[in-house]
Amino acid sequence: MKTTFWKLLDQYKITIPIIQRDYAQGRMDKKVTLIRKELLNTIKCALDKKSSVDFDFVYGTSNNGFLYPLDGQQRLTTLFLLHWYFATKGGLLNEKVKGQLKKFSYQTRISSQRFCEKIVEFTPSTDELISVIIKDQPWFAMTWNNDPTIVAMLNMLDDIQVHYSAGVNQYKEWFEVLTNQEIIHFQFLDMDSFNLSDDLYIKMNARGKPLTDFENFKARFEKYLTDTAREEEKKRFVDHADGVWTDLFWKEMSNKMDVGFMRYFDFIAEVGFHILNLDNEKLIENDNELKFKVFKNNDILNLLFDSLDAWCEIESKSNFFCNYFTGTKYEVGRVKLYEENVNLFERCLQGINFVAKDKLMLYAVVLQLISKQDKTVELRLIRNLLINSPYEIRADNMNNLFCSIRNIMGGNINYIELKNTFSGPQVDDEKVKAEFIQNYKELAEELYHFEDHYILKGRMSAIELDPRTLKQNREIFAKLFDNNVDRNTISRAMLCFGDYSQGNGDRWRFANSDDSWHSILTSADVSKVKGALNLLLESMKNCSLEDIISNKISGFTIANNLPWEYYFIQYPEMNQGASANYVWYSDFNICMLNTTRLSGYWRDPYLWSVCCQFTKNDREKINNIYNLTKDKQPIDIFGIELSMCDDGWKVRINSTDNTTLIIYQSIGAKYGIIDDVIKVPANVDRIEIGVNIVRDIISQL
């Protein structure tokens, strides 16, 4: 029987039986909140447009004028709250309306029953948040805050208040539509009229599982396509959603097929969200209303449908991705992604290790898939731009990123425009490489092999692109960064050909690890490191790293001048900071940072190099090796302090102990301390002198 909530109250007193669960449509978890929002929007649209909404079946048992709903409790409760809210806001909550609404109640808890009775008698007098007003009433018991049904009802009323903000006349009109028209209706079935047993009643109450997100999505998306008068698209969706598209995701995800389908749908929706530049909206997981808004655009809808059809044609997704990509090693004709799993489609469906960079790359793959063309060159360009533009991959730039990728895959590569989206230096590098390949097509794969090195990751600006030496330099570079080569040794060898460090004010950076080498060789300004690197590669044709370092140290000795470069080349300990960052006040006043700030642990590299020349037992006698303040501390050996200064070593006594005084006097007599300074000539190794001083102190303890 087709009826409405108001008509049902004409026939029965509706009582939610004790066996039923609490009211759930007012819960505040993310999924229910979105469902509630969609439900209220659907009802409002129906009321405004006078368009019919069928709330499906409501059934239960009746006895002596009481109706005990078996199915429909949630919908009936929501309609009860909606009728009450419209009546009170429209000034229609008279005795007749109150009497009708009092026919709805709960038996699940006495508190829920009392709340339904009290709210019917209540008329809010302010426009404050409705839940706040109700909780402030003297009849509202504090213990009711622990009743999940009451809490859910208050949440629903708050959302009704937000969604149905209007004037008095509008509330009157909505109430009239609800009570006198069958706009919001359902099919009512009285189980007693069929003489069904209690056993069947209980079985029906637990008869099935709730619809999955995917099942709900299919039904709502089909309706959405109908509502937007897109019959052709609707037919395509209906024909494929339960056919080849379902088979596609079943093969990939088996019993989690629906999860995979929804994740892919969400991925395309996110692509459309950014391409359409809807960033003033907030993209929320499971927010189908916003996603449907995205698919009002035919291009995005076609992207979804065309890509699904195209994926269906690929028998093995794993083989497809392996044809175009490689994980951690170079392969001819493939693009290295520097990740073990190159199957971006699988990672999308599983929701594992699928971040913004991967979404952008998969979008490029989807465009290639739909075009049915080999676009490996374009994919390589996009790979390079994405990996080397980490600061540009951010929320406020996603529209530019997706649109730029669309342009690249469409053959429209404008380097000037690309600099507005990606890292400018990386775009410049891509332009130089493209021109090189245009002039030397036979060397394209050699260049690809070179740029795929894990230290460079697609950035070649620090490499001299000379067609005569490209292959040889690639092989030497690979040898230079072999796993068996100490990364600090590479730094010492590089310094033999010039200061390659990066500077920023009083901060300087060298390199001593794979990460720091990648940063140095792919920085915005590689002018210093490029010169040193290419001279090193040239020298390595005939010399080993050890010979290069040894020859350079000999050159310093012959020149009778030992500048700061000598110490960084001679002593590996000078470059052992975890971050490879330095605060550089002067050549002999340097802070070697473990992090990027002086607020973390740091060391004086000269003092550290001195300490490292001692055994573990002797080193334990040296205090203040590490610093944790901006003020540099001298090392302390039994009350004698030692620190580096421009002229040599500063030695001071910081103890009244008689033994310490005797040791200090002996050091002064041997090395000649004048005004607390032991002067060291420019051609004498300061660290050797420092080691001798510390050794002399320790030997006398």
Side-chain angles (χ1 to χ4, degrees):
M1 178 183 71
K2 180 179 178 182
T3 189
T4 67
F5 175 75
W6 204 250
K7 288 182 178 179
L8 201 61
L9 289 176
D10 287 335
Q11 294 180 260
Y12 302 101
K13 290 182 178 180
I14 303 174
T15 302
I16 307 302
I18 197 168
I19 66 169
Q20 288 282 21
R21 60 175 175 161
D22 294 304
Y23 178 51
Q25 286 187 348
R27 292 176 183 171
M28 292 303 290
D29 63 82
K30 185 184 295 184
K31 182 176 180 180
V32 174
T33 298
L34 291 170
I35 292 173
R36 182 167 62 253
K37 176 182 175 182
E38 293 174 359
L39 174 64
L40 293 176
N41 285 339
T42 298
I43 295 174
K44 186 174 186 297
C45 184
L47 293 174
D48 288 339
K49 297 181 179 180
K50 306 296 189 298
S51 57
S52 178
V53 171
D54 190 344
F55 267 18
D56 210 348
F57 281 94
V58 170
Y59 51 86
T61 62
S62 62
N63 184 21
N64 294 326
F66 285 87
L67 172 64
Y68 301 97
L70 166 63
D71 187 73
Q73 166 206 357
Q74 304 296 323
R75 288 163 287 161
L76 292 173
T77 305
T78 297
L79 289 172
F80 164 74
L81 295 173
L82 206 58
H83 280 73
W84 172 81
Y85 187 79
F86 289 168
T88 187
K89 296 297 285 186
L92 301 173
L93 197 59
N94 53 39
E95 292 304 316
K96 180 180 178 181
V97 172
K98 289 180 183 179
Q100 189 84 331
L101 289 173
K102 285 180 180 179
K103 293 181 179 180
F104 179 87
S105 187
Y106 264 74
Q107 280 188 351
T108 54
R109 287 184 178 88
I110 189 64
S111 53
S112 301
Q113 178 183 336
R114 292 286 294 159
F115 178 79
C116 291
E117 293 171 358
K118 289 294 184 180
I119 198 174
V120 170
E121 294 288 348
F122 176 62
T123 300
S125 57
T126 71
D127 290 330
E128 194 176 358
L129 191 66
I130 191 70
S131 63
V132 173
I133 299 173
I134 292 174
K135 287 182 179 181
D136 196 41
Q137 300 309 304
W139 49 261
F140 187 90
M142 292 295 294
T143 55
W144 290 3
N145 287 309
N146 298 320
D147 184 325
T149 288
I150 295 177
V151 172
M153 285 183 178
L154 291 173
N155 292 335
M156 175 59 84
L157 286 171
D158 283 343
D159 273 8
I160 289 173
Q161 184 178 19
V162 171
H163 282 75
Y164 294 87
S165 177
V168 173
N169 291 334
Q170 181 64 72
Y171 289 118
K172 289 180 178 179
E173 181 180 338
W174 283 334
F175 187 78
E176 190 279 330
V177 173
L178 277 181
T179 56
N180 294 316
Q181 300 181 38
E182 291 187 345
I183 295 297
I184 311 298
H185 62 266
F186 46 80
Q187 306 298 322
F188 172 62
L189 182 64
D190 188 341
M191 306 295 290
D192 286 342
S193 63
F194 291 90
N195 296 318
L196 299 178
S197 68
D198 290 343
D199 286 344
L200 182 57
Y201 174 94
I202 293 171
K203 289 177 182 178
M204 291 183 68
N205 195 34
R207 68 195 184 285
K209 298 179 180 179
L211 293 178
T212 65
D213 289 344
F214 176 56
E215 290 166 331
N216 277 312
F217 156 74
K218 284 195 299 182
R220 294 194 67 250
F221 198 59
E222 181 180 340
K223 184 176 183 302
Y224 158 74
L225 293 174
T226 301
D227 292 344
T228 52
R230 298 153 93 177
E231 288 302 319
E232 184 177 340
E233 290 82 357
K234 174 189 172 183
K235 184 177 185 305
R236 185 179 180 187
F237 177 76
V238 171
D239 289 346
H240 291 72
D242 285 323
V244 291
W245 294 348
T246 297
D247 293 341
L248 164 67
F249 293 102
W250 181 264
K251 290 177 182 177
E252 298 297 317
M253 298 282 285
S254 187
N255 61 335
K256 292 186 177 180
M257 174 276 301
D258 54 342
V259 176
F261 193 114
M262 289 308 302
R263 283 180 178 153
Y264 187 77
F265 174 80
D266 288 349
F267 160 66
I268 297 295
E270 185 174 349
V271 171
F273 175 83
H274 293 300
I275 286 179
L276 299 176
N277 206 18
L278 299 177
D279 293 345
N280 58 324
E281 304 264 12
K282 188 175 182 181
L283 189 63
I284 303 174
E285 185 181 359
N286 295 325
D287 188 350
N288 287 330
E289 184 177 340
L290 179 56
K291 292 169 188 172
F292 290 170
K293 182 186 294 186
V294 169
F295 288 108
K296 284 183 180 179
N297 182 281
N298 283 331
D299 289 338
I300 306 302
L301 186 64
N302 288 333
L303 177 67
L304 173 66
F305 289 176
D306 291 348
S307 65
L308 287 171
D309 285 344
W311 285 120
C312 289
E313 297 176 8
I314 305 298
E315 183 63 29
S316 171
K317 311 303 179 295
S318 179
N319 289 343
F320 169 80
F321 279 94
C322 287
N323 285 336
Y324 292 98
F325 299 104
T326 180
T328 56
K329 65 179 182 178
Y330 167 79
E331 293 184 23
V332 176
R334 294 177 172 86
V335 179
K336 186 176 177 181
L337 292 185
Y338 307 96
E339 298 188 55
E340 292 294 341
N341 185 2
V342 301
N343 189 336
L344 295 171
F345 185 71
E346 177 183 78
R347 283 160 57 186
C348 171
L349 303 193
Q350 293 181 347
I352 300 174
N353 192 24
F354 190 61
V355 295
K357 172 176 63 68
D358 305 309
K359 293 175 183 178
L360 291 159
M361 197 71 205
L362 180 56
Y363 174 56
V365 172
V366 166
L367 294 178
Q368 173 187 264
L369 187 66
I370 293 173
S371 72
K372 301 185 184 300
Q373 299 177 28
D374 186 332
K375 293 182 177 288
T376 308
V377 173
E378 289 83 354
L379 292 175
R380 174 173 287 276
L381 168 60
I382 291 170
R383 186 281 309 266
N384 292 346
L385 292 172
L386 290 176
I387 285 184
N388 293 292
S389 302
Y391 301 111
E392 284 73 19
I393 301 178
R394 59 182 191 271
D396 65 343
N397 195 37
M398 294 304 284
N399 168 255
N400 292 330
L401 290 165
F402 277 107
C403 290
S404 294
I405 288 174
R406 181 181 59 189
N407 291 338
I408 292 172
M409 295 304 290
N412 179 18
I413 302 175
N414 186 316
Y415 293 104
I416 295 176
E417 291 181 357
L418 286 177
K419 293 178 79 168
N420 295 325
T421 301
F422 298 97
S423 163
Q426 184 63 38
V427 174
D428 289 337
D429 187 47
E430 295 305 320
K431 186 178 184 218
V432 170
K433 288 185 291 187
E435 292 171 350
F436 180 86
I437 292 173
Q438 184 66 31
N439 293 327
Y440 306 100
K441 294 182 176 61
E442 71 281 2
L443 292 176
E445 203 58 48
E446 192 64 51
L447 187 148
Y448 296 155
H449 193 175
F450 206 151
E451 75 172 6
D452 272 4
H453 193 284
Y454 71 93
I455 292 292
L456 299 175
K457 291 184 178 178
R459 183 74 176 275
M460 291 286 286
S461 54
I463 307 297
E464 195 69 51
L465 291 184
D466 186 334
R468 298 167 299 177
T469 61
L470 185 67
K471 184 176 188 298
Q472 188 174 28
N473 280 346
R474 177 189 62 75
E475 293 170 345
I476 294 173
F477 187 88
K479 181 181 178 182
L480 177 64
F481 283 95
D482 182 87
N483 288 333
N484 295 320
V485 178
D486 176 62
R487 299 309 188 244
N488 198 0
T489 301
I490 301 174
S491 177
R492 295 164 63 206
M494 283 273 283
L495 282 169
C496 293
F497 298 97
D499 175 13
Y500 72 87
S501 62
Q502 284 181 319
N504 181 16
D506 64 349
R507 302 298 172 100
W508 295 86
R509 189 177 192 188
F510 292 97
N512 57 19
S513 65
D514 285 348
D515 286 343
S516 54
W517 273 116
H518 172 72
S519 177
I520 289 279
L521 294 176
T522 62
S523 59
D525 182 4
V526 294
S527 55
K528 290 170 65 177
V529 70
K530 184 173 184 177
L533 174 62
N534 286 282
L535 287 172
L536 174 60
L537 295 177
E538 179 66 25
S539 295
M540 287 181 66
K541 295 176 182 177
N542 304 309
C543 291
S544 67
L545 289 179
E546 290 72 18
D547 287 341
I548 290 171
I549 291 171
S550 177
N551 292 338
K552 186 64 178 180
I553 291 173
S554 298
F556 283 122
T557 304
I558 294 171
N560 287 322
N561 182 36
L562 305 181
W564 68 266
E565 291 94 337
Y566 161 79
Y567 295 97
F568 273 81
I569 295 170
Q570 172 74 312
Y571 296 99
E573 299 83 6
M574 292 288 292
N575 189 24
Q576 286 187 342
S579 69
N581 282 285
Y582 295 80
V583 176
W584 204 286
Y585 298 115
S586 66
D587 289 351
F588 295 104
N589 184 10
I590 308 170
C591 305
M592 181 172 65
L593 309 181
N594 272 7
T595 60
T596 57
R597 299 182 180 182
L598 283 168
S599 56
Y601 281 106
W602 58 272
R603 292 162 284 179
D604 180 315
Y606 294 102
L607 294 177
W608 174 246
S609 297
V610 168
C611 294
C612 287
Q613 310 311 310
F614 291 90
T615 64
K616 180 181 179 181
N617 287 338
D618 282 343
R619 198 185 303 179
E620 289 177 350
K621 300 172 184 177
I622 304 173
N623 298 314
N624 300 338
I625 292 177
Y626 286 92
N627 291 263
L628 195 55
T629 65
K630 292 185 178 180
D631 298 323
K632 183 181 293 187
Q633 299 182 83
I635 56 175
D636 182 295
I637 312 99
F638 199 63
I640 298 176
E641 297 178 340
L642 188 68
S643 60
M644 180 74 75
C645 63
D646 289 342
D647 293 332
W649 288 101
K650 179 175 286 189
V651 185
R652 298 181 63 184
I653 187 169
N654 186 28
S655 173
T656 58
D657 186 271
N658 191 53
T659 302
T660 302
L661 180 60
I662 293 172
I663 295 174
Y664 177 78
Q665 290 172 342
S666 69
I667 296 298
K670 181 175 181 179
Y671 294 97
I673 301 177
I674 302 175
D675 296 331
D676 294 333
V677 174
I678 297 175
K679 290 192 175 182
V680 181
N683 63 342
V684 175
D685 189 319
R686 290 171 174 239
I687 290 178
E688 286 185 359
I689 298 298
V691 170
N692 291 335
I693 294 171
V694 174
R695 182 174 289 118
D696 287 343
I697 296 172
I698 292 175
S699 67
Q700 298 180 61
L701 295 177

